[in-house]
Amino acid sequence: MKRDPKQSKDLIAYRDIRNLMFSRRLIPGQKVVFRDLEEQLGMSKTPIWTALVRLEQDGLVISRHNRGFYVKQWSKTKIQQFVELREKLQGILIGYAVPGCKKEELAVLKAALDNYIAYTGKVYDRTRWELDSAFHGQIAWMSGNEFLIATLGRLHDILYIAIDLTVLTPLIGTLKKDHENVYRAIAARDATSAKQALRRHDRNATRVMLGSLISPNPEALEAIAGADQDRVPSVIFLLQLD
């Protein structure tokens, strides 16, 4: 993993462990073994412990008395609630973003759309999720509400870990068109149409997302394994981590 030598060991450990979860090398329900992490990350126990405490605050791991840390595992009901919350939150954010959107913000959004459309991966993999997150993250950023931006970022992280995103593969073409429709409505400063387009987009994805909660599924792991393991999803939301 590439590391910035200027970053603290605590932050490096935090990002590296987070990356292990996003690359499926730590999966929901799995116990976090300090000795293994010390060997993998080349670090002592102290920054690893600090990182796990922070990840627990993020809702990605859980500590159990006298048993250590585990990667958080969510029930299907909880995940359904997260998906519904994400849909509602994105509807609120786009309502804030459209009326006052600036030309330079639209240019960034258009670039995010172009990157999403240009990606030719045939499987809905980690890279496509990153590009998807960048598009929605820019809309959130345009709202100017830092609290809601951070909340949406956490929801994106949880859903990436909790759901087998490869099931979205048959929808890639539909999701591309959805993104284009959302962008056109925003560019036209039409908040009503933008909300409607985004709602259709979210519901297209929601129909299939809830049927594949992450488990040690060999086919899913194999499909995702080809992604660049040194990259972290929800790239636009990493601004809040510095």
Side-chain angles (χ1 to χ4, degrees), residues 80 82-94 124 129 132 135-136 139 152 156 159 168 171 174-175 177-179 182 194-210:
Q80 182 173 357
F82 291 146
V83 171
E84 291 171 352
L85 177 58
R86 174 179 175 267
E87 180 179 329
K88 293 180 185 300
L89 184 56
Q90 290 193 147
I92 292 170
L93 286 166
I94 201 169
Y124 194 104
W129 178 254
D132 201 339
F135 180 79
H136 290 285
I139 295 172
L152 183 62
H156 272 246
L159 292 177
L168 292 174
L171 293 182
T174 299
L175 298 178
K177 292 178 181 178
D178 289 344
H179 279 203
V182 170
K195 286 183 179 181
Q196 291 173 346
L198 183 60
R199 188 179 301 114
R200 285 193 296 270
H201 169 64
D202 284 337
R203 290 180 179 176
N204 280 334
T206 297
R207 286 200 306 268
V208 295
M209 284 174 70
L210 297 178

Side-chain angles (χ1 to χ4, degrees), residues 89 145-155 237 240:
L89 184 56
N145 190 307
E146 294 181 0
F147 175 78
L148 295 183
I149 293 168
T151 301
L152 183 62
R154 287 191 177 186
L155 286 171
F237 298 115
Q240 65 185 286

Side-chain angles (χ1 to χ4, degrees), residues 52-172:
L52 289 170
V53 170
R54 183 173 175 183
L55 286 164
E56 184 174 27
Q57 294 170 348
D58 290 348
L60 300 181
V61 303
I62 186 171
S63 60
R64 295 175 179 168
H65 185 61
N66 291 330
R67 296 177 62 187
F69 288 92
Y70 292 77
V71 180
K72 188 75 176 286
Q73 190 168 29
W74 300 271
S75 67
K76 186 171 182 178
T77 298
K78 283 285 181 65
I79 295 172
Q80 182 173 357
Q81 292 170 351
F82 291 146
V83 171
E84 291 171 352
L85 177 58
R86 174 179 175 267
E87 180 179 329
K88 293 180 185 300
L89 184 56
Q90 290 193 147
I92 292 170
L93 286 166
I94 201 169
Y96 293 159
V98 174
C101 65
K102 301 175 183 177
K103 185 176 180 180
E104 55 270 25
E105 292 174 333
L106 277 175
V108 175
L109 185 62
K110 182 60 164 60
L113 172 65
D114 290 344
N115 289 337
Y116 185 85
I117 299 299
Y119 181 58
T120 57
K122 297 185 182 301
V123 174
Y124 194 104
D125 57 10
R126 183 175 180 177
T127 299
R128 187 165 296 283
W129 178 254
E130 292 175 359
L131 295 171
D132 201 339
S133 295
F135 180 79
H136 290 285
Q138 175 59 16
I139 295 172
W141 190 258
M142 289 161 61
S143 76
N145 190 307
E146 294 181 0
F147 175 78
L148 295 183
I149 293 168
T151 301
L152 183 62
R154 287 191 177 186
L155 286 171
H156 272 246
D157 290 346
I158 289 171
L159 292 177
Y160 184 87
I161 293 171
I163 296 178
D164 177 2
L165 296 177
T166 59
V167 298
L168 292 174
T169 298
L171 293 182
I172 288 176

Side-chain angles (χ1 to χ4, degrees), residues 221-238:
L221 295 176
E222 182 179 354
I224 295 171
D228 182 352
Q229 301 298 336
D230 287 334
R231 297 173 65 193
V232 178
S234 304
V235 174
I236 196 166
F237 298 115
L238 292 182

